[in-house]
Amino acid sequence: MVAQIPISVAALVRDGLVLLVHRHPWRRWYPDCWDLIGGHVESGELPHQAISRECLEELGVHVYDPLPIPMTVNDPSLDMHAFLVTRWEGEPVHAAPEEHDDLRWFRPSDLADLKMAHPASLSSILSAVQVATDQPLRTVRSSAEEEVSPASP
């Protein structure tokens, strides 16, 4: 049996929206589709450490308290570790143009119409957005600002 590839992904959720990245059409694996932010768990790294590193490298944000969530994928070669992230410092930006050609915030109702890297993960992503919107969670906007509720203007 071939060893599974450990992958960590994060559903960043703010104001009832989830952040997705669009994978370049020339990517070898899962080209030209929308996906959660994330990537390989490096040797000696724990999945939550990987998602913190990936969010910093690819979005330029420092995440806090990533919450493990179940994630369904139909690729048996992947050992998927998914996290709900509702607290981070900084504003997500397109910091990895070599990996993605776009990033956008989506309403849950928009997700079914997207070409997703892992279509089986759709219900898991929708559940994560629901959990985030049902809880009185706070998002860190920047180190210079006070924490504000996602519902605040």
Side-chain angles (χ1 to χ4, degrees):
M1 180 176 154
V2 176
Q4 289 183 305
I5 302 165
I7 302 288
S8 282
V9 296
L12 274 71
V13 177
R14 177 171 70 195
D15 301 329
L17 304 175
V18 62
L19 184 66
L20 298 178
V21 292
H22 188 264
R23 296 173 62 88
H24 271 296
W26 49 262
R27 294 288 304 266
R28 180 175 178 191
W29 303 108
Y30 304 103
D32 195 27
C33 59
W34 291 94
D35 202 1
L36 295 171
I37 197 71
H40 291 87
V41 178
E42 294 179 357
S43 178
E45 192 175 47
L46 296 173
H48 74 278
Q49 293 169 324
I51 207 53
S52 293
R53 177 184 49 76
E54 290 285 348
C55 286
L56 184 57
E57 290 174 358
E58 297 183 14
L59 298 175
V61 298
H62 291 275
V63 300
Y64 300 100
D65 307 319
L67 175 68
I69 56 172
M71 183 67 58
T72 303
V73 294
N74 289 335
D75 186 338
S77 71
L78 300 180
D79 177 18
M80 188 67 71
H81 302 272
F83 296 88
L84 170 61
V85 175
T86 57
R87 295 182 63 237
W88 60 86
E89 182 177 329
E91 184 61 28
V93 295
H94 187 214
E98 69 284 356
E99 296 191 31
H100 314 111
D101 57 8
D102 198 3
L103 76 136
R104 289 190 212 160
W105 293 95
F106 288 95
R107 293 185 311 261
S109 58
D110 297 331
L111 300 181
D113 295 330
L114 298 178
K115 178 183 175 188
M116 299 289 291
H118 303 283
S121 70
L122 181 58
S123 64
S124 302
I125 295 169
L126 293 173
S127 293
V129 174
Q130 189 62 49
V131 166
T133 55
D134 286 349
Q135 295 179 2
L137 299 170
R138 301 170 73 77
T139 301
V140 177
R141 300 292 183 183
S142 76
S143 58
E145 296 175 347
E146 227 176 283
E147 287 189 12
V148 293
S149 162
S152 295

